[in-house]
Each structure stands twice: as structure tokens, then as C-alpha cells.
């Protein structure tokens, strides 16, 4: 430890600390622009100049290492004169447009100019002009003359997002921040550059000129999208959500959020919002009062239950629903004698049900990822499925963590990768099995049963060695592994690998409540989500789930719903295709209009409150279930608040869910032969993953929001006699889709990558089933 004195305050700091680190420790503020605690040191704004005893001139606090016994003065005459000199230079070319600048009130330059700026400028020449640039639908670079070249945005891309999309072009007076070759900025974390910009050069395109910062009320919330559970600040004006920003939580999302978290709020004010209950009468849809709609639903559910038995009902719930909504839906179903409840809508293999030791989870805390020596991610489109989880692994890989992948597409994860196996979906089990066998051979232990026929390749041995070496290791099963037809066997193999190497084993969930669904008990006692659709029920209740987009097999789902006598759709949106097969639509409040709880991948319980009043006559889903329970005269539906439901489930003040355990027993590994024909790789694009992001206009204009294409590698295309750009017809069962063909060497041989959750591919079947491709 080194001793330092700053403005008379003494402190001890670790070796390698800078003066800025020490100042923050003792609570002394040093003005700065380019410095950011999560980014590398650039020392190019010079605003943090301070006086150091015995130094001949002022030194930048951000780049000056602490030496033992150092004395620093941040407000001495020398330091203040230097800081004021830097501010004068910064303001020489800065446009005087504070009154109309979108950053007004949140601008570091504006704040610091009050203390360090002059009364008037000595600079009489013309100010420089930098022309605006179009870098996509999310970030505005309309006023780049404001840029002070702090390069925070450039460093963020390189170091956090993992891709350098912005850079500094030209020199001296002509320097400017720009993209390469006039490209757009397409990172899934790009919006964080807006927060980092200390002036109004980078602003939010969707929010731009819609409100002043002092008009906005700030309220805490939690992301309803991926399983990380990013903490949010939702900014409100009147009764309308205007903007979403990150709320710092070092243990969860640090100070970042994904673009999906940041811009999906646009959907909250969509014209598609369902604001009044609707009932189909005589083939015509009519808006009705709540009492009429609830009586209709209660009688409909009761009639199906009485005529065909409770087993004729099916409750299909979104994994993005809150803990309270899932728990009360399960309770309502039980009151009707129905044990067919499930939230795992995209899952295909349910053979682990009844064989799990506890609630599946990440296996470690998010904050522990940085300490891993080795990590293996199995079956995940990681950057798009869990952008902030990928960011944590990216930082770990830059230090010493050996990160390996076994996946079904060669997407660039922007992570320094140790080893990688890209396989067809049906071969995931062989790839992971080969790594398990290689690890057993390295450790000289018995090879687990069922793997004798495998011969580990060089890559499998390399992955195994990275997990054998080191102290802290982890194996993560992603969304593809969980949605695979071999999901239970993949979990068994992952656990075997964990036993052999000492690695923790966990799941990267796909949705906000992928863990919470288990905690809430929204699980089937009888028929799971797949069986409910393979063996169609007479009545269905869907919560925040859209059949065309949110299920493992859209074709099968639609067929089951169309034959049912009753379909109740509870949703925040008037889902147009559902007008054909639904019988009643109940307007449900989205996350900003209700209180609730999400349990993230690490088992962290995070509750939130509504930040605005429900739109129109929309109501929180937990209240709808409570009232339905009352209408049906069921006991135990007298909750006064969402907190009461949560406390009954978890107890008061619970920080982490109980019973987290990835153990599994009674599942044997059996390597089946690969299916004949082409296999579909059905990824869910990041901006189509749930009902909110699918309706956010700005997100849909990004590269990740474009209409799907059929991706195939060159060898497979040559076998089929197809070339890039051709129109092809892909077919699964009775469903077809006509798409443009794109050659992609990252797609495994014998596979066609056709995204799901989009209207263009909604008629197709199994996400990872067999598929045919022919020229259209």
C-alpha cells in the first residue's frame, strides 16, 4: 500500500493506483471529461490537471501513478489556473447552443464551465464546423461540432462492446469522431455511448427534443428482457415513459444496459396497445367492460372444466411474466382442477422434469465471472441472447480467462476465444460428450457411460484442458442447449464435466424470469408446454405469449389453438393474428405499469413498482388473476398487493431465491444417430425476442431488426445448386417461407439458419427440426 496526501487528506491506496483513484477514495472531486472508471486512461482532455509537490508543472490526475509520500493539491492556484486554461481551450470552438442542446442539464462541460470558464471568450475567429453523420436509428450525431475529443465513445466500442465502430479521423484542427467507411453503429450495447458522452455530441435519436431533463421524474425499475435483470432508471413525463437509462449496480449490470433494455420503451406507447377488454361475439370483436370480460372468461374456463375435466385446460405463460403473475396463474389453474401449466414455451425436451435437484440457475454470481480461469459456453447466441453477460466474459477473456464455445453458428462473439466447435444442433451432444471424454482421459478417471464411441478431436481436447487447468472454471448452457431435443442429456454431460474438472455448471436463461418461473412453481403436474400442444386441449389461457413467435413450434401451436373451444389471450398488445383464433383479449399492464418481481440468472430477487398509471383500462395481470379467482369463488385470492404474493412465496426481505441447484438424476446419455436431411438453426434475433422489443420502431430499423434471410454455407449451397441472393422456399411440414439466400461460412454443414419470432417465418415448425430448401 502507498501513502498519499490530497488537499490535506491522507489515504493508503494499492500499488498501481492513480491520483484520480486516490482522490475518489478520500472524497475529493477532480474535474474531468475523458476519464471513466470502466475505460482505459486516455489523458487527452487535460481537465484533471493537479499540482503535485516537487513536480515542475501540473500533471493529469487520471494518468499520474501514486508514489509513496506523494502530496497533491487540486485547488491550489497553479492547479486552478491550469484547469481554467484547459476549459478556455475547450470552449474556443464549442458552439453556444446550450438553450437548444438536448444535453442541456446533463452536460459535464456546461456544469464545469460555471466553475472554470471565463466570463467572456478572448477567441474572435470563426468557430470550426463538423458536419453531422448518420450512424443508424439509435444514436444521433447531428451536432458533432460540440465534440471535445474525449474519445470515451471510441474506447467504449473497443474495450466494452468489443468492436471499434467509431474512431478519430484526421489530425489537429481537423480531427473528428466518425465511423469507418460511413457505416452504421450496430453493436447491441451501442446506446451506452450516449451516456458516456460528456457533451451533447452523441444523443438519443428516439428521445431527441422530446423533453428537458428537469421535466422528467426518475423512477427505479428492472429490465423485463434477458435473464441478467439489468437495473434501470425509467424517466417519466406526465404519464408517459420518455427514456430509459442504466441504474448502476456493480453486481448485476455494472453501469451498462443493452440497446434492447434502453429503447424497447417505445413499444409502451405503441398504437398496438390493447387498452380495453375485447370479446368475440358471433364472429365479431367487441370492446366490453371488465366485469363482462371477466364473467365471460370465468364461465368459459368453468364450462370447459365441467364438460371435459380440468385436464382439458392449458395455461401457457411467458417467462417474461413476473413472479406474482406466474404464481397466481398456477393457483388459478389448480382451482379449476388443471395441472397443465408451463412457462418454458420454447423448450422441446422435458425429460428432466421430476428429476431435478432444485431450481436451475447460473451456478455462480455474475460478479464472480471476472475471476474465472476457464469458461465453456454450450449452445448460445451469446452476444444476442445475453449482451451484458457476454460483456462480462469479454472483460474476463482480456485478462486471463480461457473462454471456449460449443455452438451452432459461427457468429463473432467479440470475445478473445480460446477454442471453438461449431456443430449442427443435433451434434451438440456429441461435441460436449467429446469434451467430457477428453477431460476424463486427461484426469485419468473413468469415462462416463454412453461416450465410448466418441473420439475427441484436437479442439475438444483443447477445451477440456482449459477446464482442467486453473482453479475457478464454469460451464454455461445457453438457450440453444436448453431448447435442444437433447437438453436433459446435455445437462447430464455438463454436470459430468463439472465433476471431472471441478467447474461449476449453470444456465444462461433466455428471459427475465427463466429462474423465477421455477421459483413460482409455474410448472406442470401433468402436461408440459409441448404436450399441451401435441395433444390439443379444449381451452387455453395465454399470458404475454404470442403463438407465432414465442413457442418452439409455431405451426403446431397455431393448429392447437385454432381447434380449441376457448382461447383467452392476456396481453399488453392487440396481437393482430390472434383476432382469428382467440375468443377474448384482456389488456395487461407491461412492466412499467405494474409492480412485480423478477429472479435473474444468479437467483437474485429484484422487485420493482410501476412507474406510470396503466394505459387506458389495462390492468396488472396479478390483479386480473386475483379477481378471476374471486369470480370463480376460489379460496386464497384475497391479496391486497403484489408484495403480499411475493412474501407468501419467498418470505420477507429475500435477496436470493432458495433451492438453487443444477443437479439432475435418472437421465442416461444415449447418442442417437444424426437426423437425415437439412437441419434448421432457429435463432431468435435480439430485437424479436419478446412482445415489447418486437414493437419498438427504432430497434426494428437496426441491422438486428431486419427481415430474416436463410443462411447456408458454401458447400451446402453448392450441393443444393443454389447461389447467394437467390430467392428460396424453406419448408417445414405444411408451412413455407420465401426468403433471400445468404452464404455464411459460420453456419454448420447440412444446416440452414432460419430465424424465428418473425412474421416472415411464423408458418414454420420446430426451431431445430428438419427443413427443406428449394429455389423459389
Amino acid at each position: 500500500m502507498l501513502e498519499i496526501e490530497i488537499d490535506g487528506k491522507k489515504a493508503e491506496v494499492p500499488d498501481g493506483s492513480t491520483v484520480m483513484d486516490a482522490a475518489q477514495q478520500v472524497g475529493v472531486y477532480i474535474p474531468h471529461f475523458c476519464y471513466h472508471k470502466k475505460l482505459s486512461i486516455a489523458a487527452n482532455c487535460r481537465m484533471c490537471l493537479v499540482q503535485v509537490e516537487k513536480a515542475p508543472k501540473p500533471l493529469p490526475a487520471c494518468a499520474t501513478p501514486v508514489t509513496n509520500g506523494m502530496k497533491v493539491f487540486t485547488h491550489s492556484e497553479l492547479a486552478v489556473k491550469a484547469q481554467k486554461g484547459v476549459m478556455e481551450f475547450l470552449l474556443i470552438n464549442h458552439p453556444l447552443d446550450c438553450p437548444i442542446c438536448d444535453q442541456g442539464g446533463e452536460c459535464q462541460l456546461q456544469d464545469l464551465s460555471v466553475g472554470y470558464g471565463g466570463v467572456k471568450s478572448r477567441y474572435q475567429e470563426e468557430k470550426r464546423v463538423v458536419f453531422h453523420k448518420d450512424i443508424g436509428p439509435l444514436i444521433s450525431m447531428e451536432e458533432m461540432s460540440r465534440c471535445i475529443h474525449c474519445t470515451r465513445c471510441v474506447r467504449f466500442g473497443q474495450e466494452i462492446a468489443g468492436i471499434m465502430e467509431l474512431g478519430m479521423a484526421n489530425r489537429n484542427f481537423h480531427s473528428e469522431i466518425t465511423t469507418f467507411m460511413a457505416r452504421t453503429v450496430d453493436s447491441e450495447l451501442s446506446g451506452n455511448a450516449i451516456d458516456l458522452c460528456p457533451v451533447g455530441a452523441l444523443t438519443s435519436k428516439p428521445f431527441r427534443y422530446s423533453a428537458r431533463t428537469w421535466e422528467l421524474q426518475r423512477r427505479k425499475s428492472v429490465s423485463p428482457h434477458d435473464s441478467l435483470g439489468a437495473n434501470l432508471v425509467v424517466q417519466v413525463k406526465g404519464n408517459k415513459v420518455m427514456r430509459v437509462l442504466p441504474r448502476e449496480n456493480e453486481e448485476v449490470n455494472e453501469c451498462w444496459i443493452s440497446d434492447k433494455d434502453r429503447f424497447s420503451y417505445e413499444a409502451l406507447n405503441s398504437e398496438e396497445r390493447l387498452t380495453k377488454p375485447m370479446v368475440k361475439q358471433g364472429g365479431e370483436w367487441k370492446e366490453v367492460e371488465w366485469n363482462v370480460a371477466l364473467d365471460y372468461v370465468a364461465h368459459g374456463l368453468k364450462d370447459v372444466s365441467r364438460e371435459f375435466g380440468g385436464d382439458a385446460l392449458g395455461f401457457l405463460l411467458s417467462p417474461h411474466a413476473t413472479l406474482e403473475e406466474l404464481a397466481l396463474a398456477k393457483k388459478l389453474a389448480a382451482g379449476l382442477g388443471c395441472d397443465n401449466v408451463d412457462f418454458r414455451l420454447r423448450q422441446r425436451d422435458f425429460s428432466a422434469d421430476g428429476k431435478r435437484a432444485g431450481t436451475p440457475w447460473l451456478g455462480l454470481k455474475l460478479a464472480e465471472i471476472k475471476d474465472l480461469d476457464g469458461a465453456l459456453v454450450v449452445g448460445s447466441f451469446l452476444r444476442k441472447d445475453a449482451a451484458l453477460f457476454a460483456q462480462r466474459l469479454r472483460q474476463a477473456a482480456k485478462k486471463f480467462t480461457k473462454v471456449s464455445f460449443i455452438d451452432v453458428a459461427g457468429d463473432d462473439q467479440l470475445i478473445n476465444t480460446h477454442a471453438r466447435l461449431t456443430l449442427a444442433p443435433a451434434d451438440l451432444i456429441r461435441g460436449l460428450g467429446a469434451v467430457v471424454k477428453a477431460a476424463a482421459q486427461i484426469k485419468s478417471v473413468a469415462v462416463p457411460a454412453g461416450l465410448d464411441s466418441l473420439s475427441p478431436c484436437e479442439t475438444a481436447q483443447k477445451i477440456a484442458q482449459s477446464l482442467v487447468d486453473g482453479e475457478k472454471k464454469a460451464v454455461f448452457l445457453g438457450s440453444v442447449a436448453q431448447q435442444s431435443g437433447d437438453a436433459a442429456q446435455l445437462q447430464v454431460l455438463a454436470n459430468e464435466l463439472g465433476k471431472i474438472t471441478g467447474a461449476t455448471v449453470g444456465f444462461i436463461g433466455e428471459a427475465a424470469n427463466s429462474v423465477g418461473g421455477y421459483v413460482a412453481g409455474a410448472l406442470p403436474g401433468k402436461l408440459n408446454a409441448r404436450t399441451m400442444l401435441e395433444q390439443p386441449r379444449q381451452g387455453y389461457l395465454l399470458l404475454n405469449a404470442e403463438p407465432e413467435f414465442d413457442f418452439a413450434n409455431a405451426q403446431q401451436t397455431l393448429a392447437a389453438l385454432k381447434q380449441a373451444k376457448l382461447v383467452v389471450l392476456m396481453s399488453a398488445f392487440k396481437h393482430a393474428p390472434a383476432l382469428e383464433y382467440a375468443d377474448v383479449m384482456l389488456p395487461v399492464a407491461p412492466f412499467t405499469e405494474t409492480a412485480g418481481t423478477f429472479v435473474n440468472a444468479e437467483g437474485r430477487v429484484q422487485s420493482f413498482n410501476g412507474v406510470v398509471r396503466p394505459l387506458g383500462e389495462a390492468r396488472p395481470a396479478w390483479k386480473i388473476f386475483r379477481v378471476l379467482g374471486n369470480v370463480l369463488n376460489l379460496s386464497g385470492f384475497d391479496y391486497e398487493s403484489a408484495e403480499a404474493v411475493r412474501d407468501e412465496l419467498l418470505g420477507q426481505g429475500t435477496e436470493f431465491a432458495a433451492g438453487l441447484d443444477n443437479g439432475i438424476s435418472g437421465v442416461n446419455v444415449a447418442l442417437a444417430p444424426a437426423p437425415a436431411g437439412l437441419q434448421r438453426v432457429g435463432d431468435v434475433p435480439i430485437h424479436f425476442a419478446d412482445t415489447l422489443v418486437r414493437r419498438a420502431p427504432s430497434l426494428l430499423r437496426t441491422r438486428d431488426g431486419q427481415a430474416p434471410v436463410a443462411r447456408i454455407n458454401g458447400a451446402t449451397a453448392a450441393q443444393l445448386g443454389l447461389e447467394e441472393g437467390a430467392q428460396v422456399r424453406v419448408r417445414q411440414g405444411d408451412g413455407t417461407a420465401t426468403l433471400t439466400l445468404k452464404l455464411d461460412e459460420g453456419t454448420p454443414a447440412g444446416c440452414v439458419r432460419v430465424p424465428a419470432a418473425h412474421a416472415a417465418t411464423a408458418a414454420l415448425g420446430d426451431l431445430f427440426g428438419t427443413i427443406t430448401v428449394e429455389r423459389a
Side-chain angles (χ1 to χ4, degrees):
M1 299 291 282
L2 304 173
E3 290 186 1
I4 183 174
E5 183 181 308
I6 303 179
D7 293 346
K9 297 180 180 178
K10 293 184 177 180
E12 286 192 349
V13 295
D15 198 9
S17 297
T18 64
V19 172
M20 184 72 84
D21 298 330
Q24 290 181 339
Q25 185 174 314
V26 299
V28 171
Y29 178 73
I30 299 175
H32 60 272
F33 293 114
C34 69
Y35 170 81
H36 189 276
K37 62 182 179 180
K38 294 288 182 182
L39 303 177
S40 63
I41 293 166
N44 54 9
C45 77
R46 317 308 280 184
M47 191 64 210
C48 64
L49 291 174
V50 293
Q51 181 181 357
V52 177
E53 189 179 59
K54 296 180 184 175
K57 60 180 182 179
L59 298 175
C62 67
T64 303
V66 173
T67 58
N68 205 31
M70 178 183 270
K71 285 190 175 182
V72 177
F73 307 96
T74 68
H75 291 91
S76 67
E77 186 180 350
L78 183 69
V80 172
K81 184 179 179 183
Q83 291 161 356
K84 287 189 172 183
V86 170
M87 178 59 73
E88 184 173 20
F89 274 117
L90 288 175
L91 293 177
I92 273 176
N93 275 305
H94 198 78
L96 302 175
D97 55 4
C98 293
I100 56 101
C101 177
D102 212 49
Q103 198 91 334
E106 297 175 311
C107 174
Q108 282 176 257
L109 184 66
Q110 190 180 45
D111 294 343
L112 292 179
S113 66
V114 175
Y116 299 91
V119 177
K120 66 184 232 176
S121 175
R122 292 185 285 169
Y123 184 78
Q124 300 300 321
E125 287 73 23
E126 289 184 10
K127 290 181 182 277
R128 76 194 284 260
V129 173
V130 181
F131 290 106
H132 73 272
K133 300 158 186 73
D134 185 1
I135 60 167
L138 304 180
I139 302 174
S140 171
M141 292 179 83
E142 284 292 319
E143 286 92 9
M144 288 308 291
S145 297
R146 298 171 183 162
C147 178
I148 60 169
H149 305 154
C150 69
T151 67
R152 278 186 180 184
C153 56
V154 177
R155 285 175 287 144
F156 169 79
Q158 284 179 296
E159 298 163 18
I160 307 298
I163 182 169
M164 187 175 176
E165 294 179 296
L166 293 168
M168 180 88 81
N170 309 320
R171 298 183 70 182
N172 56 60
F173 184 82
H174 302 288
S175 297
E176 57 181 284
I177 300 289
T178 184
T179 56
F180 299 96
M181 307 295 288
R183 292 180 182 168
T184 55
V185 171
D186 298 306
S187 163
E188 61 283 350
L189 298 173
S190 67
N192 292 291
I194 299 167
D195 300 335
L196 287 173
C197 184
V199 294
L202 302 181
T203 52
S204 166
K205 256 190 190 174
F207 172 73
R208 195 171 152 77
Y209 294 140
S210 57
R212 283 301 205 173
T213 178
W214 52 84
E215 297 177 296
L216 301 172
Q217 295 175 301
R218 290 156 180 77
R219 290 161 186 172
K220 299 175 183 177
S221 193
V222 178
S223 166
H225 301 298
D226 62 34
S227 62
L228 199 97
N231 289 200
L232 309 176
V233 172
V234 180
Q235 298 192 331
V236 176
K237 181 181 177 183
N239 194 50
K240 186 176 180 182
V241 173
M242 304 300 290
R243 184 166 62 167
V244 172
L245 299 175
R247 179 162 60 93
E248 189 167 343
N249 185 334
E250 199 61 30
E251 295 179 320
V252 181
N253 56 302
E254 300 173 74
C255 55
W256 317 118
I257 53 174
S258 69
D259 290 351
K260 180 163 69 170
D261 297 329
R262 184 182 298 271
F263 296 107
S264 65
Y265 74 87
E266 287 186 294
L268 300 169
N269 307 312
S270 163
E271 291 180 0
E272 289 185 57
R273 279 294 302 271
L274 183 64
T275 56
K276 238 189 139 144
M278 296 178 72
V279 171
K280 192 191 284 182
Q281 295 177 334
E284 299 248 337
W285 281 97
K286 294 181 180 173
E287 291 186 345
V288 296
E289 296 302 317
W290 266 108
N291 61 337
V292 175
L294 291 170
D295 279 345
Y296 184 98
V297 172
H299 279 105
L301 294 171
K302 197 188 289 182
D303 289 349
V304 171
S305 176
R306 187 168 52 234
E307 190 175 346
F308 302 100
D311 193 39
L313 291 169
F315 282 61
L316 296 163
L317 317 171
S318 168
H320 298 278
T322 67
L323 191 75
E324 295 81 357
E325 292 164 0
L326 294 168
L328 288 182
K330 172 73 173 179
K331 197 169 188 176
L332 182 70
L336 290 161
C338 169
D339 219 353
N340 309 327
V341 179
D342 212 339
F343 72 99
R344 302 162 298 172
L345 307 182
R346 291 197 180 109
Q347 194 165 310
R348 300 158 72 226
D349 176 18
F350 294 89
S351 57
D353 282 7
K355 300 171 184 176
R356 297 187 187 279
T359 297
W361 69 300
L362 189 61
L364 46 64
K365 299 286 185 288
L366 287 163
E368 293 171 0
I369 291 173
K370 68 179 184 302
D371 301 321
L372 293 175
D373 297 305
L376 171 61
V377 181
V378 182
S380 177
F381 300 98
L382 189 63
R383 263 180 67 201
K384 307 303 180 183
D385 289 348
L388 292 171
F389 185 90
Q391 189 275 133
R392 282 188 180 267
L393 268 185
R394 186 174 301 125
Q395 303 313 313
K398 281 159 55 176
K399 294 175 184 172
F400 48 76
T401 309
K402 293 177 179 176
V403 180
S404 302
F405 292 91
I406 301 176
D407 52 24
V408 295
D411 295 352
D412 186 357
Q413 302 298 342
L414 305 178
I415 293 172
N416 184 11
T417 302
H418 176 68
R420 186 173 199 165
L421 280 174
T422 300
L423 306 165
D427 293 332
L428 270 183
I429 188 170
R430 294 175 182 276
L432 183 54
V435 173
V436 174
K437 185 171 183 179
Q441 291 170 343
I442 292 168
K443 296 281 281 186
S444 301
V445 298
V447 175
L451 305 180
D452 299 328
S453 62
L454 295 176
S455 300
C457 65
E458 189 179 330
T459 307
Q461 291 171 344
K462 191 177 178 184
I463 294 172
Q465 189 67 55
S466 73
L467 292 173
V468 170
D469 298 340
E471 292 184 15
K472 292 185 178 180
K473 293 91 62 170
V475 179
F476 300 111
L477 296 169
S479 58
V480 178
Q482 294 166 61
Q483 294 160 8
S484 163
D486 303 314
Q489 294 184 67
L490 286 168
Q491 186 181 350
V492 168
L493 286 174
N495 284 348
E496 289 290 347
L497 187 57
K499 282 180 200 165
I500 294 167
T501 64
T504 60
V505 177
F507 294 90
I508 306 169
E510 66 164 325
N513 250 343
S514 292
V515 174
Y518 285 92
V519 175
L523 298 163
K526 200 156 188 185
L527 303 184
N528 57 53
R530 180 175 178 174
T531 316
M532 276 186 243
L533 300 167
E534 286 178 341
Q535 302 169 19
R537 306 288 93 194
Q538 296 293 329
Y540 289 98
L541 185 145
L542 278 69
L543 172 63
N544 281 328
E546 295 176 342
E548 295 79 5
F549 308 134
D550 293 326
F551 288 77
N553 190 324
Q555 204 176 99
Q556 189 180 73
T557 305
L558 287 170
L561 293 175
K562 285 176 180 176
Q563 63 76 49
K565 294 190 181 303
L566 175 71
V567 175
V568 179
L569 182 68
M570 295 175 62
S571 175
F573 300 97
K574 191 185 292 185
H575 183 50
L579 295 172
E580 180 186 346
Y581 51 77
D583 297 288
V584 57
M585 288 187 181
L586 302 179
V588 167
F591 81 107
T592 50
E593 299 169 14
T594 183
T597 303
F598 293 134
V599 182
N600 77 350
E602 63 177 355
R604 185 182 296 270
V605 176
Q606 299 190 106
S607 295
F608 56 93
N609 291 309
V611 299
V612 290
R613 295 186 303 279
L615 190 65
E617 293 187 27
R619 293 292 180 267
W622 72 266
K623 285 188 177 181
I624 298 172
F625 286 127
R626 182 195 67 188
V627 176
L628 276 172
N630 294 333
V631 173
L632 288 163
N633 294 319
L634 303 176
S635 61
F637 283 86
D638 50 0
Y639 304 99
E640 291 296 321
S641 65
E643 288 79 7
V645 184
R646 180 198 64 205
D647 291 346
E648 183 178 282
L649 267 175
L650 304 174
Q652 290 186 348
T654 305
E655 188 179 359
F656 287 93
L660 302 172
D661 194 327
N662 291 317
I664 185 173
S665 58
V667 176
N668 299 317
V669 175
L671 302 178
L678 291 171
Q679 292 181 51
R680 178 183 178 186
V681 176
D683 62 311
V684 178
I686 183 172
H687 296 159
F688 294 98
D690 60 65
T691 57
L692 279 175
V693 290
R694 286 195 283 267
R695 291 173 173 85
S698 296
L699 291 177
L700 297 184
R701 288 197 295 273
T702 63
R703 191 164 70 178
D704 283 321
Q706 299 306 302
V709 295
R711 294 177 182 270
I712 198 167
N713 74 20
T716 308
Q719 288 173 4
L720 297 171
L722 299 169
E723 67 285 332
E724 178 152 24
Q727 292 293 299
V728 295
R729 184 177 292 110
V730 294
R731 190 187 305 275
Q732 279 186 297
D734 299 328
T736 62
T738 302
L739 304 171
T740 302
L741 189 76
K742 186 172 178 63
L743 296 185
D744 176 10
E745 295 310 313
T747 303
C751 295
V752 186
R753 184 171 173 179
V754 180
H758 190 279
T761 56
L764 300 176
D766 200 327
L767 291 178
F768 300 102
T770 55
I771 193 168
T772 60
V773 180
E774 59 192 33
R775 193 179 294 277

